[in-house]
Amino acid sequence: PPPAGTAPRSGALSPFDRRLKRKQKNWAALQAEPAKCDYLREEVRDGRAGGSPPVLRPVLPLTTFPLALDVGSGRGYIAQHLTKETVEKLIQVDVAENALKNAVETEIPTFRVAADEEFLPFKENTFDLVVSSLSLHWVNDLPKAFKEIHQVLKADGVFIGAMFGGDTLYELRCSLQLAELEREGGFSPHVSPFTAVADLGHLLSRAGFNTLTVDTDEIQVNYPGLFEVMEDLQGMGESNCSWNRKPLLHRETMLAAAAIYREMYGNSDGSVPATFQIYYMIGWKYHESQAKPAQRGSATVSFGDLAKIEGLISRGKK
């Protein structure tokens, strides 16, 4: 939880109720089969979705990291992908203590700390690697979270992350809004706000990261209907925790939303799709040994000459 004396805030600057998110994640971790709702995190971790890079594969084979931090680790989805050859020691941090207690065991020496991702309890220049998978979209102050991650990294350390993006669950959002407008004459948000991909690079750069890579991909999952979508979101600990959420929807509104969902987005086999947009990001903390851009005006070839390269190559082959 937030440090003592820090009161819960609501409003534009703090859209999420972090205490409620902690309860949601703790509840999900205590279910009889918590792993059955891990499929999205496994998809992102393993990189099977489309052509986007996995969360870890671009950097981990390059070196061995003595000490790594997993921010918003949950039940240890990232740790399952690590070996002693890539990470020597791992610290997992999550706001939900039940998720840490039920974390999957790994061969790497692992230490678990119950703490809010918005208030990392570590000294500066501590970690060689920081990873975060599908957690930071619930942070109230994302610029501050990026700055704290940058702060706890050592020079030449790397941050690798993935989070849900702005088009996530657009089918569910539209169906609920249309149903509520029809049945109740207005609507309130039922899907949490997400960051736009255009803002990510700027936020990472402002936090001090360089040599940035930002990529986006979509994962589409088919469900029997709207109610199954919402049930799995609850099992993932991904239910809405916005301060301005509506705590209860009428039964008639929910049934109307399910019908609208199927009518507008339904598949030919009767199932309905749910889209999850994923943002992947990589950023390095500056070190003098890193490659630097050439000085302005030092180029010896103009962009106008690039059009001639293909012709020169073809002539050389002949």
Side-chain angles (χ1 to χ4, degrees):
T6 303
R9 300 167 297 168
S10 62
L13 297 180
S14 299
F16 303 123
D17 183 347
R18 294 288 297 173
R19 294 181 186 275
L20 176 60
K21 178 49 58 182
R22 178 188 179 194
K23 290 180 180 179
Q24 291 173 348
K25 295 180 73 173
N26 272 326
W27 180 89
L30 290 180
Q31 297 312 294
E33 297 180 272
K36 75 176 185 178
C37 293
D38 289 350
Y39 50 85
L40 272 179
R41 291 182 171 89
E42 291 171 356
E43 189 86 5
V44 172
R45 180 198 67 194
D46 297 339
R48 293 191 298 267
S52 288
V55 175
L56 299 170
R57 197 176 301 160
V59 175
L60 290 185
L62 303 179
T63 185
T64 298
F65 298 93
L67 183 61
L69 172 66
D70 186 355
V71 177
S73 61
R75 295 177 53 254
Y77 317 103
I78 292 295
Q80 302 171 49
H81 202 75
L82 302 175
T83 65
K84 292 180 179 178
E85 287 71 32
T86 55
V87 172
E88 295 177 0
K89 189 181 295 184
L90 176 67
I91 294 180
Q92 296 175 327
V93 169
D94 200 276
V95 70
E97 60 274 14
N98 290 339
L100 296 172
K101 290 176 184 176
N102 295 328
V104 180
E105 293 300 322
T106 175
E107 65 179 53
I108 303 170
T110 303
F111 303 89
R112 301 181 177 101
V113 179
D116 196 315
E117 297 96 324
E118 293 186 328
F119 305 95
L120 296 179
F122 304 105
K123 295 180 180 179
E124 294 184 30
N125 305 313
T126 299
F127 298 97
D128 306 278
L129 167 70
V130 176
V131 297
S132 180
S133 183
L134 302 186
S135 170
L136 292 177
H137 54 280
W138 292 119
V139 168
N140 276 315
D141 192 344
L142 191 57
K144 178 179 178 293
F146 282 153
K147 286 180 180 178
E148 290 208 2
I149 290 172
H150 183 270
Q151 184 173 296
V152 301
L153 272 173
K154 293 180 180 178
D156 204 30
V158 60
F159 166 58
I160 308 174
M163 60 188 290
F164 286 126
D167 289 338
T168 295
L169 296 174
Y170 71 86
E171 304 98 338
L172 177 63
R173 182 188 296 114
C174 292
S175 301
L176 288 170
Q177 288 178 354
L178 290 173
E180 203 169 3
L181 276 171
E182 177 193 348
R183 297 303 171 97
E184 303 180 31
F187 67 87
S188 59
H190 297 286
V191 177
S192 298
F194 296 102
T195 304
V197 68
D199 298 328
L200 264 190
H202 173 67
L203 293 176
L204 289 166
S205 178
R206 197 169 72 177
F209 291 99
N210 60 12
T211 320
L212 299 174
T213 301
V214 177
D215 198 4
T216 182
D217 193 18
E218 288 186 354
I219 301 174
Q220 194 171 85
V221 183
N222 293 320
Y223 296 89
L226 175 144
F227 295 101
E228 286 77 11
V229 175
M230 300 184 76
E231 181 181 354
D232 272 20
L233 289 175
Q234 189 177 22
M236 298 173 196
E238 293 292 335
S239 299
N240 189 4
C241 70
S242 300
W243 285 105
N244 60 352
R245 70 193 180 279
K246 190 173 182 178
L248 184 65
L249 272 173
H250 296 104
R251 180 174 180 272
E252 293 77 11
T253 304
M254 291 295 295
L255 292 173
I260 292 171
Y261 202 139
R262 194 176 302 278
E263 179 66 26
M264 291 182 61
Y265 305 106
N267 299 315
S268 58
D269 62 357
S271 64
V272 297
T275 299
F276 299 88
Q277 187 178 37
I278 313 296
Y279 297 157
Y280 297 92
M281 65 202 96
I282 301 174
W284 297 79
K285 188 169 182 176
Y286 174 78
H287 188 269
E288 59 183 11
S289 65
Q290 293 172 351
K292 301 177 181 62
Q295 288 187 352
R296 191 178 183 87
S298 62
T300 57
V301 179
S302 72
F303 280 109
D305 295 331
L306 294 179
K308 305 175 184 177
I309 291 179
E310 186 175 350
L312 293 173
I313 293 175
S314 300
R315 199 182 313 162
K317 287 181 179 178
K318 290 178 181 179

